[in-house]
Amino acid sequence: MINTKYSPLAIAVVLGTLASTTASAAGFQLAEYSATGLGRAYAGEAAMADNAGAQWRNPAMLTYLEGTQISGGMLYVEPNIDVKGTATIGGHPVYTEAKDIANSAPVPNLYVSHQINEQWFAGLALGSNYGMETDLGNEFKATQYGNEAKIMTVEAVANLGYQINDAFSVGGGIRFVTGEGKIGATAPFDYPLANISQGDYLKYVEGTDSSWGYVLGAAWQINNNHRLGFAYKSEVMMDFDGYGEGKIFHFQGRRDGKLSVALPATAELASFHQLTDQWAMHASINWTQWSSFEKLEAEFVDGVTSPIKNENWKDSYRFALGTTYQLNSKLALRGGVAYDMSAVDDKYRTTTIPETDRTWLSAGLTYAFTKQFTLDGGLTYIMARDASIVEPRDELDLSAAAFGTFEGEISGDVWIAGIQANYRF
């Protein structure tokens, strides 16, 4: 891919063409894999077996799905994220803001599971693990640090599950990740000494790549009412091939290059507890190894390796607690809360990735039209913590010398609504 200083988005180029939205989990991850889980804030997912979508978080849960099942749905993400603050240009402070910088978008999914025999189960999953689109516009007074970014992602996973005995199951899958993305930074005003006009690209990059990874899972059915699940997704290395252009690269025009970025490994520990005939509780802890994302370097075809930026991200955690209440034979109600920890400290936050701590409040339901056909719905409100942004973030960034600094904050919230149809043959 190309030489850019905007780390997360350079990574984002890894992804393919299924969804483009604002990331609602840590970094630029997407938590939204089904409307079923949305209704409980994705609590206990690695231990849940509602429908064929269960394999997305833990392939071992395939062993709980009888016969052949299919599940498909759509989630719609509606973010409202604002950036405001003070740009200091030539020693003069100027107030600037950009409203609704994150675009709304649908996130579709499709899952199929099949019971081969009493012990073996197979599944296919199509969804998205990463997605984001932001646009600060050209009127924002700190566009030298980034004014547009987009990630489009798709992931296909072929899974197998094996039931060892009544208590233990295991599973695994091969992940194919493909995608494309872009990121740009423009001049916030005219700079005649360098022959730069307002709106000119200082740096713009785009590229595509495909790569492979794996997922492993296990489940322990402690007794009829309690279950534990664990799942691990591998790091996926992406080598983005594309081009870069911009006024402040070490070359003129466009130049081919490559940017190698590792998408982080993730793990989930989850539990399911049937408390009464009607009440069940679910809980989970998620971990993402964002600490592997330390810095970015671009390698161009002319042999020049350009340091882009020190990132210094940190591992992030997500904690979720949810419940299900079976009102009657037709209707089940869900609810959940979750807390997502940010993957960056204040020092390393950027305007193009509105990354901060988030609190989830979720509700949902399932209605069984027949024994074979059910329909799920979910609704979530995410409160994002107001968080500070200071640019430049490190000594590699030379934009401040020509175009000034920025100090401000991000704020906002996100609504997510989804629907999921499930059929058992």
Side-chain angles (χ1 to χ4, degrees):
M1 198 176 155
I2 9 279
N3 180 0
T4 175
K5 60 186 180 191
Y6 309 97
S7 65
L9 298 176
I11 296 182
V13 178
V14 151
L15 308 166
T17 60
L18 183 60
S20 172
T21 182
T22 275
S24 53
F28 45 87
Q29 286 180 300
L30 286 173
E32 299 83 9
Y33 80 97
S34 78
T36 313
L38 180 70
R40 54 177 173 256
Y42 297 110
E45 296 308 292
M48 303 300 294
D50 306 282
N51 50 56
Q55 65 184 295
W56 183 258
R57 297 291 277 266
N58 184 355
M61 300 315 298
L62 283 168
T63 63
Y64 290 81
L65 305 177
E66 296 180 352
T68 299
Q69 302 190 24
I70 184 169
S71 178
M74 180 77 70
L75 296 102
Y76 189 79
V77 184
E78 181 65 45
N80 176 29
I81 308 297
D82 302 329
V83 176
K84 63 181 180 180
T86 300
T88 302
I89 304 170
H92 302 289
V94 177
Y95 177 79
T96 186
E97 66 178 354
K99 292 184 175 295
D100 293 329
I101 68 168
N103 292 353
S104 57
V107 183
N109 58 74
L110 179 65
Y111 310 102
V112 179
S113 68
H114 176 67
Q115 182 178 7
I116 301 172
N117 54 40
E118 292 298 317
Q119 290 182 297
W120 287 99
F121 299 75
L124 177 66
L126 299 173
S128 178
N129 267 327
Y130 300 91
M132 183 195 65
E133 183 174 7
T134 56
D135 187 349
L136 283 79
N138 288 325
E139 299 305 315
F140 189 65
K141 302 303 182 185
T143 55
Q144 69 270 30
Y145 299 110
N147 73 316
E148 63 175 313
K150 185 177 183 179
I151 305 167
M152 300 181 69
T153 75
V154 65
E155 182 167 327
V157 190
N159 291 309
L160 277 176
Y162 180 73
Q163 186 173 359
I164 300 172
N165 52 41
D166 290 342
F168 296 100
S169 300
V170 294
I174 301 298
R175 302 163 56 203
F176 177 70
V177 183
T178 187
E180 60 182 345
K182 69 176 182 178
I183 181 171
T186 60
F189 54 84
D190 294 340
Y191 194 65
L193 293 177
N195 193 30
I196 296 175
S197 301
Q198 181 182 6
D200 284 352
Y201 276 119
L202 302 176
K203 290 186 177 182
Y204 175 83
V205 298
E206 67 175 54
T208 61
D209 190 33
S210 299
S211 191
W212 299 86
Y214 64 88
V215 57
L216 298 174
W220 176 25
Q221 190 70 43
I222 302 171
N223 54 44
N224 290 336
N225 296 321
H226 302 280
R227 181 167 62 239
L228 293 179
F230 176 79
Y232 174 84
K233 289 189 176 183
S234 70
E235 179 183 276
V236 175
M237 179 59 69
M238 307 298 291
D239 295 320
F240 307 117
D241 290 319
Y243 73 89
E245 62 177 313
K247 296 285 188 176
I248 59 175
F249 280 129
H250 69 278
F251 53 84
Q252 299 297 315
R254 293 185 177 184
R255 182 158 297 178
D256 293 339
K258 181 178 72 173
L259 180 66
S260 297
V261 178
L263 297 179
T266 64
E268 179 178 0
L269 178 63
S271 66
F272 167 81
H273 309 279
Q274 191 71 47
L275 304 179
T276 69
D277 290 342
Q278 292 178 297
W279 281 104
M281 296 292 293
H282 338 287
S284 59
I285 301 174
N286 296 79
W287 164 83
T288 302
Q289 195 180 15
W290 284 116
S291 59
S292 62
F293 187 44
E294 297 180 355
K295 62 181 180 179
L296 283 176
E297 292 180 336
E299 181 181 347
F300 291 95
V301 293
D302 60 2
V304 176
T305 298
S306 300
I308 299 170
K309 206 159 196 178
N310 293 323
E311 296 302 333
N312 296 317
W313 281 33
K314 61 182 181 180
D315 291 355
S316 67
Y317 294 87
R318 185 179 194 271
F319 306 91
L321 181 66
T323 186
T324 300
Y325 181 73
Q326 192 69 44
L327 185 64
N328 53 48
S329 61
K330 293 286 189 180
L331 182 62
L333 305 176
R334 298 187 183 89
V337 296
Y339 181 71
D340 259 320
M341 296 176 61
S342 173
V344 296
D345 293 323
D346 289 348
K347 180 179 180 181
Y348 298 105
R349 186 173 292 108
T350 66
T351 54
T352 44
I353 298 241
E355 166 66 355
T356 183
D357 296 347
R358 291 164 294 276
T359 300
W360 292 53
L361 303 174
S362 302
L365 55 82
T366 292
Y367 188 81
F369 290 90
T370 67
K371 290 183 178 181
Q372 288 75 35
F373 178 66
T374 61
L375 192 66
D376 303 328
L379 181 67
T380 288
Y381 176 67
I382 302 175
M383 298 175 287
R385 177 180 64 87
D386 293 355
S388 62
I389 300 175
V390 177
E391 293 278 15
R393 298 183 297 152
D394 60 46
E395 69 280 359
L396 294 177
D397 199 327
L398 304 179
S399 299
F403 298 103
T405 62
F406 173 76
E407 185 171 349
E409 69 173 13
I410 63 169
S411 60
D413 53 31
V414 182
W415 284 95
I416 307 173
I419 190 169
Q420 197 86 13
N422 316 289
Y423 192 83
R424 303 181 182 188
F425 294 91

